[in-house]
Amino acid sequence: MKIINNSVVVMHYAVSDSEGTLIDSSYDHKPMSIIQGTGYLIPGLEDALIDHQTGDQFEVAVSCAQAYGERHDDYVQTVPKELLQGVEELTVGTQLRAATDDGEQTVIVIDVTDDEVTVDGNHPLSGLDLRFDVEILAVRAATKEELKHGHIHSDGESCGGTSD
Ligand SMILES: [Zn+2]
């Protein structure tokens, strides 16, 4: 069966930057399962899955605009440390939820000094052109229940949600 909208796709992927440096790979853990067309994947990768089928292995080059977007320098902000009182751990790499003009957003601490903290609201992969190596392990049609819930039920069982 070929992948179309509302297919459940089980896949392995490895993602690298344009220089070939490995960023992440599902081969290190378990395959990823998605419902095609729900926007779970970045647009450039989701589009590339269409019409592929079980057993296919292929490469997808995704420009940053079709991946995690351009970097915005103005998403980097330095704030006084006292604004973050109550945050237990404040080290480089700490992720925080921050209220911004666009709503709540995840920011990452990229610098800490004695009295200031610099946070970056860009996605860590923004500004990068990416390359995916994809292997399609299984394709099936999503059940009505899965589409209604917007997530996958393993082995076709129900998730115990109230609307089952
Ligand atoms: Zn469910």
Side-chain angles (χ1 to χ4, degrees):
M1 153 173 201
K2 289 189 170 178
I3 296 169
I4 56 172
N5 269 347
N6 296 336
S7 295
V8 170
V9 181
V10 183
M11 59 189 274
H12 266 309
Y13 70 92
V15 55
S16 314
D17 65 19
S18 56
E19 261 124 56
T21 304
L22 185 68
I23 295 167
D24 187 27
S25 167
S26 66
Y27 290 97
D28 295 339
H29 22 103
K30 58 177 192 174
M32 179 168 66
S33 299
I34 60 114
I35 301 177
Q36 174 73 15
T38 53
Y40 180 80
L41 298 175
I42 57 171
L45 183 55
E46 188 166 72
D47 289 350
L49 296 185
I50 292 283
D51 280 343
H52 278 289
Q53 54 194 333
T54 305
D56 281 2
Q57 292 191 36
F58 52 97
E59 263 184 42
V60 187
V62 182
S63 66
C64 73
Q66 291 295 302
Y68 295 96
E70 307 282 351
R71 274 192 67 80
H72 297 275
D73 290 340
D74 56 342
Y75 288 6
V76 176
Q77 286 190 328
T78 299
V79 297
K81 218 174 194 172
E82 60 253 31
L83 279 186
L84 297 169
Q85 271 173 5
V87 179
E88 287 184 16
E89 199 190 337
L90 262 188
T91 55
V92 172
T94 301
Q95 293 194 10
L96 306 169
R97 300 292 293 169
T100 70
D101 295 343
D102 300 323
E104 267 221 341
Q105 206 187 335
T106 300
V107 300
I108 298 173
V109 175
I110 57 170
D111 194 32
V112 182
T113 65
D114 284 344
D115 43 28
E116 287 184 328
V117 177
T118 304
V119 296
D120 185 353
N122 287 292
H123 188 281
L125 297 182
S126 66
L128 292 180
D129 297 327
L130 301 174
R131 203 199 72 192
F132 290 84
D133 289 295
V134 176
E135 180 180 0
I136 305 298
L137 303 177
V139 182
R140 65 172 170 84
T143 65
K144 280 191 184 132
E145 206 175 59
E146 286 172 323
L147 291 176
K148 197 165 143 196
H149 292 188
H151 58 234
I152 294 165
H153 296 163
S154 58
D155 305 324
E157 289 173 17
S158 101
C159 62
T162 50
S163 54
D164 284 352

